């Protein structure tokens, strides 16, 4: 006979499992041991994923290729290191190939260039002024990091943010003790340019690091640090306007909120920025691991200088959450904790429940709680959109070294989260891209041909999604551009032709490679890569 207490436990366990199963979204394990806890993650145009940790922390759990080792007499732990601190993952097979990184990439920044190469800048120790490049290749080829020797940053950059610009160059904003910006390549031989706003946004626990940088369709930058934001003319180094302060305390590192610019659409005359979550001020200074995280979000029309923040609350307080633009324009908020702050062993109460933010709904109805993970993703975790519509979840190492016997151990597993739009019952409305050009030119017209099992009802969207550099709760360079399209015209055998207009210029979509998705009633196709130029 079952005791009452045991029966209660069984019923509670069944209730939890049923509750989890009833929530939207599914999880899968891509690899049980990547060998590397990915602090920085980026998806390449070859559908591979670059994983990047840091050096100077002792060995990882992934060996370099035979005959390769990193020798550094200044390394405080391991002078001769034959373990990898970067790797490239094929998410379709789970196969990993180690990459060779020489200098310390701890808390560095990055962004893809127009040619598809990943430019990676700064870090700690010997990496603070370093510029590195990774030119991705097919999975059957061998490509690796190139640490540039003929150029370096003008100023050391640690906790900086990179953003590709309309002309294909890159701006690098801020960093610890760096109240300046600079460009790659350097402009007219000028190095760092003073940017006093970052000094204004600094407080006693910093809170101005990894600033949120969004390129607006008017060509200016929306830059947010701490609890304030400015509209910045980077060409003339002029602050054009200052926005109202966002209520609810600091939002940047180490207070660890997140930010996203919502999908650009229509005539691209508006841009909406959302900032969510963050720690209580003082949690970092006091090392308060149980200080409740903030659950508030602010939303602002960034191209209206007189606009104010519209406030709303998430179902959970959250620090270190990642905001991922989904192909249909919704936003996934995932990873993080409900208490503490960013920093080594300074957070608790992992927030296992993802949220779906639906921008088109009214305040109070925008958030949907999704199916939770069983894997805590704390400090140094990442989230990236994959071309098949899933979201890759990697990393989490809240310790200075790799540590596997802690309450929240170093995490080497890599997972994928599938939003509700990938449910099996929606497969008959999921479009398949049959034909599209490899390149599209600004302002030009082009056709996309899709196949759908059920007849198309309404407009099939064609959307461009960038491949950002995800690190420390912010995806640098993330954007989604909804193209102007015609109604889908049947061509026979379940295929449809959609006439599309490319973005007007680099202010809307900087030059480079994008994932092109066809979206039918909110359900995205598997993306094809196109080059916008």
């Amino acid at each position: 006979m079952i005791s009452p207490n045991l029966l209660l436990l069984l019923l509670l366990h069944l209730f939890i499992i049923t509750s989890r199963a009833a929530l939207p979204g599914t999880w899968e394990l891509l690899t049980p041991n990547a060998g590397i806890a990915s602090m920085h993650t980026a998806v390449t145009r070859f559908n591979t994923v670059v994983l990047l940790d840091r050096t100077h922390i002792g060995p990882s759990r992934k060996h370099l290729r035979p005959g390769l080792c990193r020798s550094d007499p200044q390394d405080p732990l391991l002078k001769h290191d034959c373990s990898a601190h970067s790797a490239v993952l094929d998410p379709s097979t789970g196969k990993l190939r180690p990459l060779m990184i020489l200098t310390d990439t701890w808390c560095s920044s990055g962004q893809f260039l127009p040619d598809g190469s990943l430019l990676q800048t700064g870090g700690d120790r010997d990496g603070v002024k370093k510029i590195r490049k990774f030119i991705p290749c097919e999975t059957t080829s061998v490509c690796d990091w190139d640490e540039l020797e003929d150029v370096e940053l003008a100023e050391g950059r640690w906790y900086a943010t990179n953003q590709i610009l309309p002309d294909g160059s890159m701006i690098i904003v801020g960093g610890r003790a760096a109240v300046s910006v600079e460009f790659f390549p350097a402009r007219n031989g000028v190095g760092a340019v003073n940017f006093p706003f970052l000094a204004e946004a600094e407080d006693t626990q910093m809170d101005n690091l990894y600033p949120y940088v969004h390129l607006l369709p008017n060509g200016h930058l929306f830059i947010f640090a701490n609890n304030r934001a400015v509209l910045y003319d980077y060409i003339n180094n002029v602050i054009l306007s200052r926005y109202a302060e966002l209520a609810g305390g600091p939002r940047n590192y180490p207070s660890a909120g997140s930010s996203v610019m919502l999908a650009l659409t229509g005539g691209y005359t508006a841009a909406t920025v959302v900032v969510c979550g963050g720690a209580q001020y003082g949690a970092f200074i006091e090392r308060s691991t149980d200080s409740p995280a903030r659950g508030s979000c602010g939303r602002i029309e960034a191209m209206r200088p007189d606009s104010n923040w519209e406030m709303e609350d998430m179902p959970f307080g959250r620090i270190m959450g990642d905001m991922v633009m989904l192909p249909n324009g919704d936003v996934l908020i995932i990873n993080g904790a409900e208490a503490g702050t960013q920093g080594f062993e300074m957070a608790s109460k992992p927030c296992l429940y993802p949220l779906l933010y639906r921008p088109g709904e009214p305040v109070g109805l925008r958030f949907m709680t999704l199916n939770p993970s069983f894997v805590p993703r704390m400090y140094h975790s990442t989230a990236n959109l994959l071309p098949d519509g899933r979201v890759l979840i990697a990393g989490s190492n809240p310790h200075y070294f790799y540590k596997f016997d802690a309450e929240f151990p170093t995490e080497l597993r890599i997972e994928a989260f599938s939003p509700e739009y990938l449910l099996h019952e929606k497969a008959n409305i999921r479009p398949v891209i049959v034909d599209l050009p490899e390149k599209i030119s600004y302002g030009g017209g082009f056709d996309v041909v899709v196949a759908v099992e059920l007849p198309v009802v309404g407009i099939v969207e064609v959307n461009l999604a960038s491949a950002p550099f995800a690190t420390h709760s912010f995806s640098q360079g993330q954007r989604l551009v909804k193209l102007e399209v015609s109604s889908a015209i049947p061509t026979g055998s379940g295929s449809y032709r959609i006439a599309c207009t490319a973005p007007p210029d680099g202010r809307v979509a900087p030059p480079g490679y994008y994932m092109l998705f066809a979206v039918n009633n909110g359900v995205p196709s598997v993306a094809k890569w196109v080059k916008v130029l």
Side-chain angles (χ1 to χ4, degrees):
M1 183 174 178
I2 300 176
S3 70
N5 287 338
L6 179 57
L7 180 60
L8 180 61
L9 287 174
L10 289 173
L11 290 173
L12 179 61
H13 181 66
L14 180 62
F15 172 76
I16 291 172
I17 292 175
T18 304
S19 298
R20 286 173 179 265
L23 293 173
T26 58
W27 289 87
E28 61 185 300
L29 182 66
L30 295 184
T31 178
N33 184 1
I36 294 166
S38 189
M39 178 191 305
H40 318 293
T41 310
V43 178
T44 81
R45 66 187 182 95
F46 294 104
N47 297 334
T48 57
V49 182
V50 178
L51 312 174
L52 185 61
D53 194 8
R54 57 186 172 120
T55 59
H56 301 96
I57 56 168
S60 71
R61 298 301 183 268
K62 183 73 175 176
H63 291 292
L64 287 166
R65 298 192 301 276
L68 291 181
C69 294
R70 182 181 66 89
S71 295
D72 182 0
Q74 303 303 316
D75 191 311
L77 289 178
L78 202 58
K79 313 298 182 188
H80 192 66
D81 186 1
C82 299
S83 67
H85 300 281
S86 183
V88 62
L89 167 72
D90 181 348
S92 65
T93 64
K95 291 183 178 179
L96 286 135
R97 182 172 61 82
L99 300 176
M100 183 73 164
I101 196 82
L102 296 175
T103 55
D104 197 353
T105 55
W106 182 14
C107 301
S108 50
S109 52
Q111 185 83 109
F112 283 100
L113 293 170
D115 65 0
S117 61
L118 178 60
L119 193 80
Q120 213 276 326
T121 52
D124 192 22
R125 301 175 63 90
D126 60 354
V128 71
K129 285 192 172 185
K130 201 67 182 176
I131 300 176
R132 313 163 192 88
K133 186 179 285 191
F134 178 75
I135 302 176
C137 58
E138 299 278 4
T139 55
T140 54
S141 304
V142 176
C143 42
D144 214 330
W145 285 102
D146 179 17
E147 311 231 2
L148 305 185
E149 299 296 336
D150 58 341
V151 63
E152 68 175 12
L153 295 171
E155 189 168 354
R157 303 283 171 185
W158 195 23
Y159 303 89
T161 299
N162 296 8
Q163 171 63 53
I164 192 77
L165 297 173
D167 64 357
S169 65
M170 188 179 300
I171 190 170
I172 306 156
V173 181
R176 191 166 184 173
V179 290
S180 63
V181 304
E182 61 181 283
F183 299 89
F184 179 90
R187 297 193 165 198
N188 302 319
V190 177
V193 177
N194 190 38
F195 187 42
F197 166 70
L198 293 174
E200 299 168 15
E202 185 174 3
D203 56 33
T204 54
Q205 58 177 20
M206 295 169 290
D207 282 323
N208 66 344
L209 303 181
Y210 279 125
Y212 305 145
V213 180
H214 300 291
L215 172 65
L216 304 180
N218 59 14
H220 301 311
L221 297 177
F222 177 95
I223 301 181
F224 185 100
N226 197 323
N227 63 351
R228 61 200 72 178
V230 295
L231 182 66
Y232 179 51
D233 175 354
Y234 63 88
I235 296 175
N236 298 300
N237 190 31
V238 174
I239 291 177
L240 300 175
S241 60
R242 295 175 182 267
Y243 301 88
E245 290 188 6
L246 175 58
R251 307 284 183 151
N252 293 78
Y253 185 96
S255 291
S258 189
S259 177
V260 72
M261 182 173 66
L262 298 181
L264 301 176
T265 187
Y268 312 117
T269 58
T272 305
V273 173
V274 179
V275 178
C276 288
Q280 301 282 343
Y281 175 78
F284 182 79
I285 297 173
E286 299 164 9
R287 299 188 62 86
S288 176
T289 61
D290 59 355
S291 176
R294 297 187 183 276
S296 64
C297 291
R299 172 169 163 163
I300 197 166
E301 299 303 318
M303 287 169 57
R304 281 177 36 203
D306 60 341
S307 61
N308 288 309
W309 293 95
E310 177 187 73
M311 302 302 295
E312 53 194 318
D313 289 319
M314 298 185 287
F316 309 96
R318 191 186 299 256
I319 56 168
M320 300 184 292
D322 289 281
M323 300 181 75
V324 180
M325 283 297 309
L326 298 178
N328 59 5
D330 290 343
V331 180
L332 180 70
I333 306 174
I334 200 164
N335 298 335
E338 295 185 52
T341 185
Q342 238 167 359
F344 291 120
E345 301 170 355
M346 293 177 66
S348 64
K349 300 179 183 177
C351 195
L352 299 175
Y353 286 87
L355 296 174
L356 187 67
Y357 179 79
R358 300 166 294 181
E361 298 294 329
V363 173
L365 297 176
R366 288 176 181 154
F367 291 103
M368 176 190 292
T369 302
L370 305 178
N371 188 25
S373 171
F374 290 91
V375 180
R377 299 285 181 175
M378 308 288 275
Y379 189 39
H380 292 145
S381 57
T382 58
N384 294 74
L385 177 66
L386 292 172
D388 60 14
R390 296 177 298 170
V391 176
L392 182 134
I393 309 297
S396 184
N397 185 17
H399 317 288
Y400 191 91
F401 307 109
Y402 280 18
K403 190 174 182 180
F404 300 100
D405 59 353
E407 180 182 6
F408 305 116
T410 301
E411 186 55 66
L412 303 181
R413 285 173 288 183
I414 295 180
E415 299 173 286
F417 179 76
S418 294
E420 187 182 22
Y421 56 51
L422 295 181
L423 288 176
H424 177 71
E425 52 264 35
K426 296 193 176 185
N428 54 10
I429 64 170
R430 190 177 194 191
V432 175
I433 297 176
V434 176
D435 186 46
L436 81 166
E438 293 183 357
K439 300 178 182 179
I440 58 177
S441 300
Y442 289 123
F446 66 98
D447 290 343
V448 172
V449 178
V450 301
V452 185
E453 184 177 330
L454 290 183
V456 167
V457 178
I459 295 294
V460 176
E461 295 181 351
V462 177
N463 301 337
L464 297 175
S466 68
F469 181 86
T471 187
H472 289 75
S473 306
F474 182 64
S475 287
Q476 301 180 14
Q478 182 172 222
R479 69 202 297 113
L480 183 74
V481 181
K482 294 191 174 187
L483 302 183
E484 295 183 4
V485 298
S486 69
S487 298
I489 300 175
T491 61
S493 302
S495 294
Y496 297 83
R497 184 176 301 278
I498 306 164
C500 310
T501 303
D505 53 44
R507 298 176 301 174
V508 174
Y513 287 90
Y514 289 79
M515 293 176 274
L516 183 146
F517 291 92
V519 181
N520 182 27
N521 287 317
V523 178
S525 67
V526 173
K528 301 287 187 182
W529 290 89
V530 297
K531 189 171 186 179
V532 179
L533 71 169

Short mmCIF file of all heavy atoms in Angstrom, two decimals, residues 347-379:
data_model
loop_
_atom_site.label_atom_id
_atom_site.label_comp_id
_atom_site.label_asym_id
_atom_site.label_seq_id
_atom_site.Cartn_x
_atom_site.Cartn_y
_atom_site.Cartn_z
N ALA A 347 25.25 34.89 -8.74
CA ALA A 347 23.83 34.77 -9.06
C ALA A 347 23.29 33.46 -8.48
O ALA A 347 24.04 32.52 -8.21
CB ALA A 347 23.61 34.81 -10.56
N SER A 348 21.97 33.41 -8.30
CA SER A 348 21.32 32.21 -7.80
C SER A 348 19.94 32.10 -8.43
O SER A 348 19.53 32.98 -9.20
CB SER A 348 21.22 32.24 -6.27
OG SER A 348 20.38 33.31 -5.84
N LYS A 349 19.22 31.05 -8.12
CA LYS A 349 17.85 30.84 -8.60
C LYS A 349 17.80 30.91 -10.13
O LYS A 349 17.26 31.86 -10.71
CB LYS A 349 16.89 31.85 -7.99
CG LYS A 349 16.82 31.80 -6.48
CD LYS A 349 15.85 32.85 -5.93
CE LYS A 349 15.83 32.84 -4.41
NZ LYS A 349 14.95 33.90 -3.85
N PRO A 350 18.36 29.92 -10.82
CA PRO A 350 18.33 29.94 -12.28
C PRO A 350 16.92 30.08 -12.82
O PRO A 350 15.97 29.48 -12.29
CB PRO A 350 18.94 28.59 -12.66
CG PRO A 350 18.85 27.74 -11.45
CD PRO A 350 18.95 28.67 -10.29
N CYS A 351 16.75 30.89 -13.84
CA CYS A 351 15.44 31.09 -14.47
C CYS A 351 15.35 30.11 -15.64
O CYS A 351 15.90 30.38 -16.73
CB CYS A 351 15.28 32.54 -14.95
SG CYS A 351 13.58 32.97 -15.33
N LEU A 352 14.72 29.00 -15.42
CA LEU A 352 14.67 27.92 -16.41
C LEU A 352 13.58 28.12 -17.46
O LEU A 352 13.59 27.45 -18.48
CB LEU A 352 14.47 26.58 -15.70
CG LEU A 352 15.57 26.19 -14.70
CD1 LEU A 352 15.18 24.90 -13.98
CD2 LEU A 352 16.91 26.03 -15.39
N TYR A 353 12.64 29.01 -17.19
CA TYR A 353 11.51 29.21 -18.09
C TYR A 353 11.83 30.27 -19.15
O TYR A 353 12.02 31.44 -18.83
CB TYR A 353 10.27 29.64 -17.31
CG TYR A 353 9.63 28.54 -16.51
CD1 TYR A 353 10.05 28.27 -15.22
CD2 TYR A 353 8.61 27.76 -17.05
CE1 TYR A 353 9.47 27.25 -14.47
CE2 TYR A 353 8.01 26.75 -16.32
CZ TYR A 353 8.44 26.49 -15.03
OH TYR A 353 7.87 25.49 -14.32
N PRO A 354 11.85 29.89 -20.43
CA PRO A 354 11.95 30.91 -21.48
C PRO A 354 10.64 31.69 -21.57
O PRO A 354 9.59 31.23 -21.10
CB PRO A 354 12.18 30.10 -22.75
CG PRO A 354 12.46 28.70 -22.31
CD PRO A 354 11.82 28.53 -20.98
N LEU A 355 10.72 32.85 -22.18
CA LEU A 355 9.54 33.67 -22.44
C LEU A 355 9.47 34.00 -23.92
O LEU A 355 10.49 34.20 -24.58
CB LEU A 355 9.58 34.97 -21.64
CG LEU A 355 9.56 34.88 -20.12
CD1 LEU A 355 9.75 36.27 -19.52
CD2 LEU A 355 8.26 34.26 -19.63
N LEU A 356 8.25 34.07 -24.43
CA LEU A 356 8.03 34.58 -25.78
C LEU A 356 7.43 35.98 -25.65
O LEU A 356 6.41 36.16 -24.98
CB LEU A 356 7.08 33.68 -26.56
CG LEU A 356 6.91 34.04 -28.04
CD1 LEU A 356 8.21 33.79 -28.80
CD2 LEU A 356 5.77 33.23 -28.66
N TYR A 357 8.11 36.96 -26.26
CA TYR A 357 7.62 38.33 -26.27
C TYR A 357 7.02 38.59 -27.64
O TYR A 357 7.70 38.49 -28.67
CB TYR A 357 8.78 39.29 -26.00
CG TYR A 357 8.41 40.76 -26.02
CD1 TYR A 357 7.77 41.35 -24.93
CD2 TYR A 357 8.70 41.56 -27.12
CE1 TYR A 357 7.44 42.70 -24.94
CE2 TYR A 357 8.38 42.91 -27.14
CZ TYR A 357 7.75 43.47 -26.05
OH TYR A 357 7.41 44.81 -26.07
N ARG A 358 5.72 38.92 -27.65
CA ARG A 358 4.98 39.13 -28.90
C ARG A 358 4.71 40.62 -29.06
O ARG A 358 3.78 41.17 -28.46
CB ARG A 358 3.68 38.32 -28.87
CG ARG A 358 3.94 36.81 -28.72
CD ARG A 358 2.69 36.05 -28.34
NE ARG A 358 2.23 36.41 -27.01
CZ ARG A 358 1.16 35.86 -26.42
NH1 ARG A 358 0.46 34.95 -27.06
NH2 ARG A 358 0.78 36.24 -25.22
N PRO A 359 5.52 41.30 -29.86
CA PRO A 359 5.47 42.77 -29.92
C PRO A 359 4.13 43.34 -30.35
O PRO A 359 3.77 44.46 -29.97
CB PRO A 359 6.56 43.13 -30.93
CG PRO A 359 7.45 41.94 -30.98
CD PRO A 359 6.59 40.76 -30.71
N GLY A 360 3.35 42.59 -31.15
CA GLY A 360 2.11 43.12 -31.67
C GLY A 360 0.95 43.09 -30.70
O GLY A 360 -0.10 43.71 -30.97
N GLU A 361 1.12 42.43 -29.57
CA GLU A 361 0.05 42.37 -28.58
C GLU A 361 0.07 43.61 -27.69
O GLU A 361 1.10 44.27 -27.54
CB GLU A 361 0.21 41.12 -27.72
CG GLU A 361 0.12 39.81 -28.49
CD GLU A 361 -1.25 39.57 -29.07
OE1 GLU A 361 -2.24 40.02 -28.46
OE2 GLU A 361 -1.34 38.94 -30.14
N PRO A 362 -1.04 43.92 -27.03
CA PRO A 362 -1.06 45.08 -26.12
C PRO A 362 -0.30 44.78 -24.83
O PRO A 362 -0.04 43.63 -24.49
CB PRO A 362 -2.55 45.28 -25.85
CG PRO A 362 -3.18 43.95 -26.10
CD PRO A 362 -2.37 43.31 -27.19
N VAL A 363 0.04 45.84 -24.11
CA VAL A 363 0.71 45.68 -22.82
C VAL A 363 -0.14 44.79 -21.92
O VAL A 363 -1.36 44.94 -21.84
CB VAL A 363 0.92 47.06 -22.15
CG1 VAL A 363 1.46 46.89 -20.74
CG2 VAL A 363 1.89 47.90 -22.98
N GLY A 364 0.53 43.86 -21.26
CA GLY A 364 -0.17 42.92 -20.40
C GLY A 364 -0.41 41.57 -21.04
O GLY A 364 -0.67 40.59 -20.35
N LEU A 365 -0.32 41.52 -22.39
CA LEU A 365 -0.56 40.27 -23.10
C LEU A 365 0.63 39.86 -23.97
O LEU A 365 0.52 38.91 -24.75
CB LEU A 365 -1.80 40.40 -23.99
CG LEU A 365 -3.13 40.66 -23.27
CD1 LEU A 365 -4.24 40.87 -24.29
CD2 LEU A 365 -3.48 39.52 -22.32
N ARG A 366 1.75 40.53 -23.81
CA ARG A 366 2.86 40.29 -24.72
C ARG A 366 3.71 39.07 -24.34
O ARG A 366 4.38 38.50 -25.19
CB ARG A 366 3.76 41.54 -24.79
CG ARG A 366 3.11 42.68 -25.55
CD ARG A 366 3.97 43.92 -25.53
NE ARG A 366 3.31 45.02 -26.25
CZ ARG A 366 3.52 46.30 -26.02
NH1 ARG A 366 4.36 46.68 -25.08
NH2 ARG A 366 2.89 47.21 -26.73
N PHE A 367 3.71 38.69 -23.08
CA PHE A 367 4.61 37.63 -22.63
C PHE A 367 3.88 36.29 -22.52
O PHE A 367 2.77 36.21 -21.98
CB PHE A 367 5.22 37.97 -21.27
CG PHE A 367 6.19 39.12 -21.33
CD1 PHE A 367 5.81 40.38 -20.90
CD2 PHE A 367 7.47 38.94 -21.83
CE1 PHE A 367 6.70 41.44 -20.95
CE2 PHE A 367 8.36 39.99 -21.89
CZ PHE A 367 7.98 41.25 -21.45
N MET A 368 4.52 35.25 -23.03
CA MET A 368 4.03 33.88 -22.89
C MET A 368 5.15 33.04 -22.28
O MET A 368 6.29 33.06 -22.76
CB MET A 368 3.62 33.30 -24.24
CG MET A 368 3.18 31.83 -24.17
SD MET A 368 2.97 31.09 -25.82
CE MET A 368 1.55 32.01 -26.40
N THR A 369 4.83 32.29 -21.22
CA THR A 369 5.81 31.42 -20.59
C THR A 369 5.91 30.12 -21.36
O THR A 369 4.90 29.52 -21.74
CB THR A 369 5.41 31.14 -19.13
OG1 THR A 369 5.31 32.38 -18.43
CG2 THR A 369 6.46 30.27 -18.44
N LEU A 370 7.15 29.67 -21.61
CA LEU A 370 7.40 28.51 -22.46
C LEU A 370 7.95 27.33 -21.65
O LEU A 370 8.25 27.45 -20.46
CB LEU A 370 8.38 28.89 -23.57
CG LEU A 370 7.99 30.10 -24.43
CD1 LEU A 370 9.07 30.38 -25.46
CD2 LEU A 370 6.64 29.88 -25.11
N ASN A 371 8.08 26.22 -22.32
CA ASN A 371 8.54 24.97 -21.72
C ASN A 371 9.96 25.14 -21.15
O ASN A 371 10.87 25.52 -21.87
CB ASN A 371 8.53 23.87 -22.78
CG ASN A 371 8.80 22.50 -22.22
OD1 ASN A 371 8.56 22.24 -21.04
ND2 ASN A 371 9.30 21.61 -23.05
N PRO A 372 10.17 24.84 -19.87
CA PRO A 372 11.48 25.10 -19.27
C PRO A 372 12.53 24.05 -19.60
O PRO A 372 12.22 22.91 -19.95
CB PRO A 372 11.17 25.09 -17.76
CG PRO A 372 10.04 24.12 -17.65
CD PRO A 372 9.20 24.34 -18.89
N SER A 373 13.75 24.46 -19.46
CA SER A 373 14.88 23.55 -19.55
C SER A 373 15.16 22.96 -18.17
O SER A 373 14.63 23.43 -17.15
CB SER A 373 16.13 24.30 -20.03
OG SER A 373 17.29 23.49 -19.94
N PHE A 374 15.97 21.92 -18.14
CA PHE A 374 16.44 21.38 -16.87
C PHE A 374 17.90 21.77 -16.60
O PHE A 374 18.48 21.35 -15.61
CB PHE A 374 16.31 19.85 -16.87
CG PHE A 374 14.91 19.36 -16.83
CD1 PHE A 374 14.21 19.10 -18.00
CD2 PHE A 374 14.25 19.18 -15.61
CE1 PHE A 374 12.89 18.65 -17.96
CE2 PHE A 374 12.94 18.73 -15.57
CZ PHE A 374 12.26 18.47 -16.74
N VAL A 375 18.49 22.56 -17.52
CA VAL A 375 19.91 22.93 -17.42
C VAL A 375 20.02 24.40 -17.06
O VAL A 375 19.67 25.27 -17.86
CB VAL A 375 20.64 22.66 -18.76
CG1 VAL A 375 22.12 23.05 -18.64
CG2 VAL A 375 20.50 21.20 -19.16
N PRO A 376 20.51 24.74 -15.87
CA PRO A 376 20.73 26.16 -15.54
C PRO A 376 21.75 26.78 -16.49
O PRO A 376 22.79 26.19 -16.76
CB PRO A 376 21.27 26.10 -14.10
CG PRO A 376 20.83 24.79 -13.56
CD PRO A 376 20.84 23.86 -14.73
N ARG A 377 21.42 27.94 -17.00
CA ARG A 377 22.34 28.70 -17.85
C ARG A 377 22.57 30.04 -17.18
O ARG A 377 21.76 30.96 -17.28
CB ARG A 377 21.75 28.89 -19.25
CG ARG A 377 21.48 27.58 -19.99
CD ARG A 377 22.74 26.94 -20.53
NE ARG A 377 22.43 25.69 -21.25
CZ ARG A 377 23.33 24.98 -21.89
NH1 ARG A 377 24.61 25.35 -21.91
NH2 ARG A 377 22.98 23.86 -22.50
N MET A 378 23.70 30.14 -16.50
CA MET A 378 23.99 31.30 -15.67
C MET A 378 24.98 32.23 -16.39
O MET A 378 24.85 32.46 -17.59
CB MET A 378 24.52 30.82 -14.32
CG MET A 378 23.62 29.78 -13.63
SD MET A 378 22.09 30.46 -12.98
CE MET A 378 22.66 31.04 -11.39
N TYR A 379 25.97 32.70 -15.66
CA TYR A 379 26.96 33.63 -16.21
C TYR A 379 27.71 32.96 -17.37
O TYR A 379 28.08 31.80 -17.29
CB TYR A 379 27.92 34.02 -15.09
CG TYR A 379 28.89 35.13 -15.41
CD1 TYR A 379 28.52 36.24 -16.16
CD2 TYR A 379 30.20 35.07 -14.92
CE1 TYR A 379 29.42 37.25 -16.41
CE2 TYR A 379 31.10 36.10 -15.16
CZ TYR A 379 30.71 37.18 -15.91
OH TYR A 379 31.60 38.20 -16.16
#
